[in-house]
Amino acid sequence: MKSYFHLDMDAFFVSVEELFDPSLKGKPVVVGGRSNERGVVSAASYAARKFGVHSAMPLRTAYKLCPQAIFVEGRRERYVEYSRKVYAVLQKFSPRVEMASIDEAYLDLTGTERLLGPPLAAAHALHNAVREATQLNCSIGAAASRLVAKIASDQAKPHGILWIPPGGEARFLATLDVRKIPGVGKVTERNLHECGIRKIGDLAQLDAAFLEKRFGKWGLALAGKARGEDAGGWFDGEIGEGDDPKSVSHESTFSVDTADTATIDAMLVRLSEMVARRLRDHQLHARTIQIKLRYSDFSTFTRSKTLDHATQIDTEFAAAARALFHKSWSGKAIRLLGVYAQSLEAGEGQTNLLEEDKMQRWRNTLAAVDKIRGKYGDTTVSLAAGMNAPFRARVHENPENLPGKDPRSKGLDK
DNA sequence: TCTGGGGTCCTAGGACCC
DNA sequence: TCTGGGGTCCTAGGACCC
């Protein structure tokens, strides 16, 4: 019998911010940006949630619901640092650990009873160890499947532990809303409601053939999930497998929509550079480049191009991104731009022989550039076309970050 | 409700090949 | 030539998660 644990940090971003500024404790706090910015809530304190504020809600809406809330920008490096601390603790309990996101993890504690005791005892030990290392609280679910462990930790929130003994899954799940199943979002929920299915128990009553007919492959997986089984969907495979990224991307929403070609091109170049840099950090090459554009009315389009070789070079991304953009742009104002790298391959990408020498020189240059960027921050060095308006403004805001007096002197010519 | 940014997985049509 | 079926790649879109 398997023994899986799901550990989820309580109001993670907010709790980390409270560690750095204890005066925030107990107050309505919203992490994600200023209250009048374009953007959404990343995390809300329990005090803020009482006013109806929740994550993914537009910041301006959060402000209307709770004007007295403290809005903080949020500092990702801090969350990454604490996430690593949590991971280090969990590794002491089992080598089979997987961070499912920055603030949650799965553990396989199968066969550890003699060492750690029964599930509830192990869960308490986990909770205490995390608390000791980070001063942060978490919630823990334990069960014979990852799916049920995850749902259990959600039910245990905040600051709770819930163990579903083998055989108790159906009874535990029966009264919960179908929405509690990971993977069932707004759309699937609506579709299920239309069939008169509201609770997971309703779902478990139906036969798999009906669900497959109505919802395809997904329906079949749903039938299993209603019974607490992992099979089908993301819970396939063992914990700790598959940590190579499948895509790398950056996107950005303009603070004001723009149709200015120079601004748009500069943003495409900047996003391309950020993507390429991350690929080089991961020692990956990409064969498919995709862009995303979103207009003022929120209509969104993607365009992609698969190259005959894999690359990790800024200029190739930028050229492809700009070509894709200008081929499909209607000329109307743009709200968001994104650049994505897919079909990732490890190691050296292939280039044809003629280009090889040029590429190698580029790689050397980029390696030097990455070093400078690593030292002084991402915005100090850029391709000439990336040195345009929105970007340069940021450089001037932080003159103390600059290696020299004139940032443009560090810009690279083509 | 005027709607971020980083991802994963799935579907579906068309091209192309055998 | 009025016409099959499967496999794989490419492209676009969408649901969902944190």
Side-chain angles (χ1 to χ4, degrees), chain A residues 89-316:
Chain A
V89 171
L90 302 188
Q91 275 188 309
K92 291 181 189 157
F93 284 76
S94 170
R96 297 184 300 273
V97 195
E98 185 173 307
M99 294 301 294
S101 71
I102 197 161
D103 72 339
E104 59 176 313
Y106 289 96
L107 289 99
D108 183 349
L109 292 188
T110 306
T112 61
E113 285 235 352
R114 280 217 343 237
L115 204 65
L116 299 172
L120 278 178
H124 274 107
L126 259 175
H127 193 284
N128 289 339
V130 169
R131 168 90 216 182
E132 207 164 292
T134 64
Q135 300 162 265
L136 297 172
N137 282 315
C138 63
S139 298
I140 298 173
S145 72
R146 281 195 265 171
L147 174 77
V148 175
K150 161 118 175 129
I151 297 174
S153 76
D154 186 51
Q155 292 304 110
K157 278 193 163 299
H159 196 169
I161 289 171
L162 185 56
W163 173 51
I164 308 303
E169 292 88 353
R171 202 155 54 89
F172 164 62
L173 295 173
T175 58
L176 301 178
D177 289 335
V178 287
R179 187 63 190 264
K180 293 282 181 181
I181 298 173
V184 174
K186 230 182 167 140
V187 176
T188 309
E189 182 186 38
R190 199 195 320 123
N191 287 335
L192 289 170
H193 281 181
E194 276 167 18
C195 302
I197 306 161
R198 307 194 79 85
K199 304 291 180 188
I200 301 181
D202 303 336
L203 200 53
Q205 302 285 322
L206 299 165
D207 69 62
F210 168 81
L211 286 166
E212 187 178 17
K213 201 165 180 192
R214 182 90 210 245
F215 300 104
K217 201 175 157 184
W218 228 103
L220 210 54
L222 269 179
K225 288 175 193 299
R227 278 176 251 112
E229 296 161 11
D230 280 341
W234 315 268
F235 295 113
D236 285 333
E238 285 307 302
I239 282 179
E241 277 176 5
D243 25 2
D244 279 346
K246 304 230 171 1
S247 69
V248 169
S249 68
H250 282 285
E251 62 183 50
S252 181
T253 297
F254 291 105
S255 51
V256 179
D257 300 349
T258 181
D260 178 61
T261 318
T263 305
I264 288 168
D265 278 338
M267 181 62 86
L268 285 170
V269 169
R270 193 171 129 204
L271 293 167
S272 300
E273 288 170 356
M274 290 162 74
V275 167
R277 161 132 210 229
R278 292 248 313 283
L279 288 175
R280 295 196 293 274
D281 286 347
H282 288 276
Q283 305 208 26
L284 291 167
H285 299 250
R287 225 157 67 73
T288 304
I289 293 163
Q290 185 179 310
I291 61 152
K292 175 155 105 181
L293 55 149
R294 176 172 287 157
Y295 293 103
S296 299
D297 65 359
F298 222 73
S299 58
T300 305
F301 302 86
T302 62
R303 291 291 178 268
S304 69
K305 176 78 189 155
T306 299
L307 308 174
D308 57 2
H309 66 279
T311 184
Q312 54 172 194
I313 290 172
D314 298 37
T315 46
E316 287 198 88

Side-chain angles (χ1 to χ4, degrees), chain A residues 6-26:
Chain A
H6 181 258
L7 182 144
D8 203 318
M9 303 303 293
D10 294 338
F12 184 55
F13 293 180
V14 171
S15 305
V16 172
E17 293 300 331
E18 285 174 359
L19 290 181
F20 286 84
D21 180 0
S23 77
L24 295 175
K25 269 188 189 155

Side-chain angles (χ1 to χ4, degrees), chain A residues 28-49:
Chain A
V29 177
V30 172
V31 178
R34 286 193 286 274
S35 56
N36 58 351
E37 275 178 340
R38 272 188 167 172
V40 298
V41 175
S42 291
S45 68
Y46 288 97
R49 291 182 202 185

Side-chain angles (χ1 to χ4, degrees), chain A residues 28-101:
Chain A
V29 177
V30 172
V31 178
R34 286 193 286 274
S35 56
N36 58 351
E37 275 178 340
R38 272 188 167 172
V40 298
V41 175
S42 291
S45 68
Y46 288 97
R49 291 182 202 185
K50 286 200 180 128
F51 292 86
V53 177
H54 58 79
S55 55
M57 170 183 278
L59 291 166
R60 293 179 224 235
T61 309
Y63 179 73
K64 278 178 204 152
L65 289 172
C66 187
Q68 70 273 39
I70 301 163
F71 288 79
V72 300
E73 196 78 41
R75 269 146 301 193
R76 213 165 169 87
E77 327 83 61
R78 289 182 175 177
Y79 313 145
V80 169
E81 181 194 335
Y82 273 83
S83 184
R84 293 205 174 116
K85 287 185 185 184
V86 171
Y87 183 63
V89 171
L90 302 188
Q91 275 188 309
K92 291 181 189 157
F93 284 76
S94 170
R96 297 184 300 273
V97 195
E98 185 173 307
M99 294 301 294
S101 71

